[in-house]
């Protein structure tokens, strides 16, 4: 089985994404296109953890949404396990879906307000809310099993975020795109989730793309990091090199702005 | 010393199960100062913020305690009066940016409406002010952004929209519920500086909910550490970082990752510490008697 | 900016139960009309014309709400009139709701040409003044219960369609819909299990409102004599007849009007009450 799998779970080359810019739409005729990703290339080896960092609005979420094919690229190639998924139709994409998951940036909006936590986690498994896998997934992210009966609005922000994580890992995908999933968690829950992800990577060969603003988390978790700026990759380096010898000025700026827990150095 | 915001002995519980969410919380926040509110996920940080703004969920009832905003007890005035007081003096930066914005309306009116409706500004003045605050939170091309819908913005932009919108009216009190979780560190730094500046200029009081002790050390003056709805430590930032008094506080501080140290490993707060603080909360629960009758 | 949910604190209990109580009376009256009505609603007796209600001097025992100019018992006629009202409310309300909601869901969720087609149709439809449209339709379809129901459905589906489409569009922008797609749900499953539960509260509120509206429309059509044949008692017909003798016998007009008013009001309140009671987000 292992032989016919590609070594690289993702191979992205010259990926371009644009949207219609409705604010500049002329009265008649189509709106001009606004390019959000401007030719991005990288690969993710199976079992690796890729960190994606970059300023707000630099296109990280857009890149993630394109990789899980919530958006269709306007150019470039995107191979998942050897298949070019860049322009697959919804129907052709569906058999691949369970293997590629995404955890969304905005936890409340990514949970159906009128489904209980249990049903939210169970639905993609085609299971019932009392399926043992649901309780197990909740336990993994540090939520008591009786949370399965709650609705999203009855949870705290961090609890919602963990429900989103539980839903994705319960499906046992090969690849997870995690969009800013630990920023809303306290250090303790953060440690728990990160250790869980590390375990899944080590034991099940999960591959992760990890979008985060938190460079200390990136440093801990990722083997390789790409730095995005205005839809372009400005740096693509092994984690150690990035932190020890940042090449791009923007990367250095990012590193300098991290608040160290030390009240004697005020801004 | 009496603060701009005084929370005294605030206790709240779930209406259905009677489970307690807040346990005699005391918080004092003088004008022009910043208080950090830290604690694990689900500790009740957002509840405190919602109680102050009068937007507690229906299922949560206040058992006792008072909330004084600029000397006025919010529980004692009529709901209409409370809304007016809060609307004029305080603003909330909510925790979930996307759901706090109306998906079917453009950004611009969502910022200006508040100014026009509550403060009675003219449309033109509100629009000018909106552009100004959007620029202050480093939103590129503010005129264009005002004409977009929430789902056309990145996560960090939405969060900055909410920050800008809270700032626009220059309220006397801002409750910021994890306002920088979606921001990259450079923008975060800029916004935190902006907050400090605003607060110095207008004497704004700020209740700052966050997980990031690094951020706390940069912007806060005082700090409340919350566990299971109970304030286990109430201290100044200097003292907290020099020598935290409570076992839970020191564990939190120890668990904070530092990017400068590659060997720093992930340490959740140890089991024993959690057990000890849980036992402490249980003991204080056993000793607690509601003073006066239950209030809805 | 504040979370709107926090400010919804009304007690829903009373209005849900009051409206449910009246609607139960209404439905029972309609179902059991032949058993419970004290008199034959069509029986005329000119000797007993214009009897006042029971508590006014000159009343005849047994005629609780008095009689009309032809001596027919008002209470019995109201009870029998409830039958037509109920049939119209149920059938016209449900049919309108189904047609409009399905089209609205399809337009809002699938977008594309389906949306363009449906939205254009709605625009064109809404350009007609509804009352004129109804009268025209009845003129073409002929009078009768079926025509009334058809007219209501044909005119009012746009109300559902517009609101449901807008709500579906809003919900479709939420990330939970995207995460359903990522989980591999088919479009139809996403629509049925993710979107529908979130649009349903709106649909139910509209449905109960529409039932009330259907009752009113039927009454209006009866009033202008375009509905059911005149030998069947309807509230609208009674109101029309009562109008001519308002100075001699106000009760002939007022009681059916009260029944109509309570029923329409109860439908709307029942919908809101149901929502507040059973919607997990508002509860
Ligand atoms: N549907 C859309 N229409 C117009 N512009 C869009 C749309 N979607 C995204 N954009 C724009 O694309 C840019 C990149 O957005 P994206 O969400 O990918 O940023 P991000 O890197 O995830 O930022 P953040 O860290 O703030 O979440 C933003 O400027 C945003 O306004
Ligand atoms: N409507 C509700 N019904 C039942 N329980 C609720 C409700 N709202 C909140 N809770 C519970 O109240 C507790 C406190 O929630 P709160 O949102 O204040 O946490 P928090 O400290 O802000 O956590 P986080 O950092 O994760 O946002 C949580 O355990 C949560 O599950
Ligand atoms: Mg993003
Ligand atoms: Mg919170």
């Amino acid at each position: 089985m292992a032989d016919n799998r590609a070594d690289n779970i993702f191979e992205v080359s010259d990926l371009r994404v644009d949207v219609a810019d409705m604010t500049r739409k002329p009265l008649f005729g189509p709106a001009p296109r606004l390019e959000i990703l401007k030719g991005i290339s990288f690969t993710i080896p199976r079992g690796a953890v890729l960190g994606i960092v970059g300023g707000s609005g630099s296109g990280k979420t857009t890149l993630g949404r394109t990789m899980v094919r919530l958006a269709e690229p306007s150019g470039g190639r995107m191979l998942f396990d050897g298949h070019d998924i860049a322009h697959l139709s919804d129907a052709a994409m569906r058999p691949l879906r369970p293997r590629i998951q995404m955890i969304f940036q905005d936890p409340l909006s990514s949970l159906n307000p009128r489904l209980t936590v249990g049903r939210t986690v169970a639905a993609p498994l085609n299971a019932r809310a009392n399926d043992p896998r649901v309780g197990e997934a909740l336990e993994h992210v540090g939520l008591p099993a009786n949370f399965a009966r709650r609705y999203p609005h009855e949870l705290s922000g961090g609890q919602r975020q963990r429900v989103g994580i539980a839903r994705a890992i319960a499906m046992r995908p090969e690849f997870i795109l995690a969009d800013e999933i630990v920023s809303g968690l306290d250090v303790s829950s953060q440690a728990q989730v990160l250790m869980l992800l590390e375990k899944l990577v080590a034991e099940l060969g999960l591959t992760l793309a990890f979008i985060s603003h938190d460079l200390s988390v990136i440093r801990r978790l990722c083997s390789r990091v790409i730095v995005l700026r205005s839809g372009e990759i400005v740096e693509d380096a092994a984690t150690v090199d990035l932190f020890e010898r940042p090449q791009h000025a923007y990367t250095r700026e990012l590193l300098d702005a991290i608040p160290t827990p030390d009240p004697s150095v005020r801004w | 010393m009496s603060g701009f915001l005084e929370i005294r002995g605030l206790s709240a519980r779930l209406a259905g199960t009677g489970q307690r969410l807040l346990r005699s919380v005391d918080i004092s926040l003088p004008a022009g100062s910043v208080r950090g509110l830290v604690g694990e996920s689900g500790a009740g940080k957002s509840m405190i913020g919602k109680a102050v703004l009068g937007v507690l969920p229906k299922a949560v009832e206040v058992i006792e305690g008072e909330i004084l905003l600029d000397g006025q007890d919010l529980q004692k005035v009529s709901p209409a009066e409370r809304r007016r007081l809060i609307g004029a003096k305080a603003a909330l930066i909510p925790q979930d940016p996307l759901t706090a914005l109306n998906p079917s309306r453009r950004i611009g009116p969502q910022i200006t409406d508040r100014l026009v409706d509550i403060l009675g500004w003219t449309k033109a003045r509100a629009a000018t002010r909106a552009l100004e605050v959007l620029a202050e939170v480093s939103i590129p091309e503010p005129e264009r952004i005002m004409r977009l819908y929430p789902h056309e913005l990145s996560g960090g932009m939405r969060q900055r929209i909410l920050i800008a919108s809270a700032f626009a009216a220059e309220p006397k009190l801002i409750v910021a519920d994890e306002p920088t979780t979606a921001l990259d560190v450079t923008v975060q730094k800029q916004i935190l500086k902006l907050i400090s500046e605003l607060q110095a200029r207008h004497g704004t009081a700020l209740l700052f909910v966050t997980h990031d002790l690094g951020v706390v050390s940069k912007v806060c003056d005082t700090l409340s550490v919350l566990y299971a709805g109970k304030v286990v430590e109430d201290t100044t930032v200097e003292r907290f970082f020099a020598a935290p008094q409570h076992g839970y506080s020191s564990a939190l501080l120890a668990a904070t990752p530092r990017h400068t140290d590659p060997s720093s490993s992930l340490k959740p707060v140890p089991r024993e510490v959690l057990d000890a603080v849980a036992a402490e909360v249980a003991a204080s629960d056993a000793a607690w008697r509601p003073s006066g009758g239950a209030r809805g | 900016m504040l979370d709107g949910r926090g400010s919804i604190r009304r007690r829903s209990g009373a209005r849900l139960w009051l409206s449910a109580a009246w609607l139960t009376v209404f439905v029972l009256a309609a179902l059991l009309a032949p058993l419970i009505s004290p008199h034959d609603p069509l029986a005329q007796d000119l000797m007993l014309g214009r009897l006042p209600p029971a508590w006014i001097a000159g009343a005849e025992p047994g005629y609780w709400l008095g009689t009309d100019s032809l001596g027919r018992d008002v209470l019995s006629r109201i009870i029998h009139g409830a039958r037509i009202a109920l049939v119209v409310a149920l059938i016209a309300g449900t049919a309108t709701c189904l047609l409009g909601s399905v089209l609205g869901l399809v337009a809002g969720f699938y977008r594309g040409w389906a949306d363009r087609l449906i939205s254009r149709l709605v625009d064109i439809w809404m350009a007609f003044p509804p009352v004129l449209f109804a009268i025209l339709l009845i003129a073409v379809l002929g009078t009768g219960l079926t025509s009334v129901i058809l007219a209501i459905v044909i005119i009012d589906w746009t109300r559902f369609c517009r609101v449901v489409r807008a709500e579906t569009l809003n919900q479709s922008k939420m990330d939970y819909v995207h995460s359903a797609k990522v989980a591999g749900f088919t479009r139809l499953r996403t629509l049925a299990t993710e979107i529908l539960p979130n649009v349903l509260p709106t649909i139910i509120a509209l449905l109960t409102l529409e039932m009330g509206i259907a009752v009113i429309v039927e009454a209006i059509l009866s009033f202008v004599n375009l509905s059911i044949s005149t030998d069947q008692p309807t509230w609208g017909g009674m109101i029309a007849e009562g109008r001519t003798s308002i100075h001699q016998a106000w009760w002939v007009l007022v009681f059916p009007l009260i029944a109509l008013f309570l029923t329409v009001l109860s439908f709307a309140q029942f919908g809101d009450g149901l929502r507040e009671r059973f919607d997990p987000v508002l509860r």
Side-chain angles (χ1 to χ4, degrees), chain B:
Chain B
M1 181 176 62
S2 155
F4 184 77
L5 171 70
E6 286 280 341
I7 302 177
R8 295 198 191 124
L10 185 70
S11 292
R13 67 175 171 215
L14 275 184
T17 60
Q19 184 203 338
R20 288 188 66 187
L21 297 178
L22 295 179
R23 301 174 145 90
S24 307
V25 171
D26 294 304
I27 284 175
S28 167
L29 184 61
S33 79
V34 185
R35 175 175 287 269
L37 205 52
V38 302
E40 69 171 3
S41 166
K45 305 183 291 296
S46 302
M47 273 316 151
I48 294 182
K50 287 180 187 168
V52 171
L53 272 291
V55 290
L56 278 178
K58 223 174 157 185
V60 177
E61 57 182 18
V62 172
I63 315 170
E64 61 168 8
E66 43 193 24
I67 301 173
L68 277 73
L69 186 66
D70 205 3
Q72 256 170 313
D73 189 342
L74 291 182
Q75 318 263 350
K76 292 217 179 87
V77 297
S78 70
E81 174 68 6
R82 187 185 321 157
R83 265 196 302 278
R84 199 193 59 75
L85 268 177
I86 293 174
K89 290 186 178 159
L92 174 70
I93 304 175
Q95 192 170 5
D96 12 63
L98 188 50
T99 21
L101 293 165
N102 182 340
S104 51
R105 299 188 64 207
R106 295 177 196 274
I107 295 295
Q110 299 201 48
I111 302 178
T112 51
D113 273 4
R114 213 181 97 90
L115 302 176
V116 174
D117 293 349
I118 298 183
L119 302 180
W121 291 15
T122 63
K123 281 227 166 70
R125 176 165 174 221
T128 320
R129 176 70 185 142
L131 285 175
E132 194 179 296
V133 276
L134 284 179
E136 275 181 354
V137 295
S138 15
I139 292 273
E141 308 178 81
E143 296 90 350
R144 193 175 89 83
I145 300 295
M146 299 249 289
R147 284 186 285 139
L148 294 181
Y149 290 93
H151 72 103
E152 295 174 330
L153 301 177
S154 81
M157 287 158 120
R158 285 177 210 139
Q159 202 164 42
R160 280 180 280 164
I161 300 288
L162 292 176
I163 295 174
S165 160
F167 277 17
E170 299 185 347
K172 287 291 182 199
L173 168 73
I174 297 181
V175 177
D177 198 349
E178 304 191 24
T180 57
T181 47
L183 301 181
D184 64 281
V185 281
T186 48
V187 177
Q188 170 177 286
K189 183 169 179 177
Q190 214 164 337
I191 297 234
L192 295 180
K193 277 184 173 165
L194 177 68
I195 289 178
S196 310
E197 194 188 297
L198 183 87
Q199 168 223 335
R201 195 148 33 102
H202 299 286
T204 307
L206 186 70
L207 190 61
F208 199 97
V209 177
T210 179
H211 297 298
D212 192 336
L213 289 178
V215 169
V216 169
S217 76
K218 300 297 176 227
V219 294
C220 299
D221 306 313
T222 52
L223 180 67
S224 296
V225 183
L226 211 64
Y227 184 86
K230 185 178 159 60
V231 178
V232 295
E233 182 161 358
D234 179 344
T235 175
T236 67
V237 164
E238 282 74 23
R239 261 188 282 148
F240 179 85
F241 284 95
Q245 297 302 301
H246 198 278
Y248 181 67
S249 310
S250 16
L252 265 188
L253 195 52
T256 302
R258 282 156 216 260
H259 79 281
T260 40
D261 172 13
S263 66
S264 87
S265 57
L266 295 167
K267 330 175 249 277
V269 174
R271 195 68 266 156
E272 315 85 77
V273 177
L274 290 181
D275 288 346
V277 63
E280 187 187 319
V281 168
S284 79
D285 263 8
W288 177 79
R289 291 275 167 281
S291 60
R295 250 182 302 171

Side-chain angles (χ1 to χ4, degrees), chain C residues 131-154:
Chain C
V131 175
L132 223 65
F133 197 8
I135 293 175
L136 223 95
L137 268 173
I138 300 282
V140 175
L141 298 168
T143 55
L145 190 55
T146 333
S147 311
V148 170
I149 291 175
L150 262 179
I152 292 174
V153 175
I154 292 175

Side-chain angles (χ1 to χ4, degrees), chain A residues 20-95:
Chain A
D21 185 355
M22 297 312 283
T23 59
R24 298 214 172 83
K25 185 182 179 322
L27 198 50
F28 300 102
R33 307 300 293 183
L34 182 70
E35 199 156 54
I36 296 180
L37 297 182
K38 303 165 184 163
I40 284 188
S41 311
F42 60 91
T43 56
I44 313 180
R46 195 173 283 280
V49 183
L50 175 75
I52 303 176
V53 302
S56 175
S58 58
K60 305 180 294 297
T61 301
T62 307
L63 173 61
R65 291 167 51 89
T66 312
M67 285 167 75
V68 302
R69 276 307 311 280
L70 281 172
E72 187 172 344
S74 53
R77 269 157 46 97
M78 195 164 63
L79 301 186
F80 170 75
D81 198 14
H83 312 273
D84 191 345
I85 61 169
H87 303 287
L88 282 190
S89 68
D90 273 1
M93 190 65 205
R94 202 161 295 125

Side-chain angles (χ1 to χ4, degrees), chain C residues 214-226:
Chain C
V215 173
I216 292 198
V217 169
E218 192 278 327
I220 293 177
L221 289 177
S222 294
F223 188 82
V224 297
N225 229 335
L226 276 177

Side-chain angles (χ1 to χ4, degrees), chain C residues 11 39 74 121 148 161 247:
Chain C
R11 287 264 147 249
H39 299 274
V74 170
L121 205 59
V148 170
C161 193
H247 299 297

Side-chain angles (χ1 to χ4, degrees), chain C residues 103-244:
Chain C
L103 290 178
L105 281 167
V106 167
F109 185 63
Y110 291 95
R111 307 297 310 272
W113 60 264
D115 185 24
R116 282 198 293 277
L117 189 72
I118 294 171
S119 298
R120 275 308 83 68
L121 205 59
V122 170
D123 290 345
I124 295 171
W125 229 254
M126 309 261 299
F128 288 107
V131 175
L132 223 65
F133 197 8
I135 293 175
L136 223 95
L137 268 173
I138 300 282
V140 175
L141 298 168
T143 55
L145 190 55
T146 333
S147 311
V148 170
I149 291 175
L150 262 179
I152 292 174
V153 175
I154 292 175
I155 294 166
D156 257 4
W157 67 273
T158 52
R159 185 199 311 271
F160 281 83
C161 193
R162 267 181 355 135
V163 177
V164 170
R165 173 179 175 274
E167 185 61 26
T168 308
L169 263 180
N170 273 353
Q171 295 294 336
S172 305
K173 284 176 198 154
M174 295 298 196
D175 280 343
Y176 73 83
V177 177
H178 300 139
S179 75
K181 183 170 183 185
V182 171
F185 289 13
T186 57
R187 304 269 282 161
L188 192 62
R189 179 174 172 192
T190 307
L191 184 59
T193 65
E194 303 285 327
I195 305 250
L196 187 58
N198 288 291
V199 182
L200 204 57
T202 310
I203 295 182
I204 288 181
L206 276 178
L207 171 64
T208 49
L209 203 66
E210 182 63 34
M211 288 182 165
I213 291 174
V215 173
I216 292 198
V217 169
E218 192 278 327
I220 293 177
L221 289 177
S222 294
F223 188 82
V224 297
N225 229 335
L226 276 177
S227 179
I228 329 293
S229 58
T230 37
D231 52 329
Q232 212 163 358
T234 63
W235 294 349
M238 293 177 75
I239 295 170
E241 288 160 17
R243 195 181 53 128
T244 57

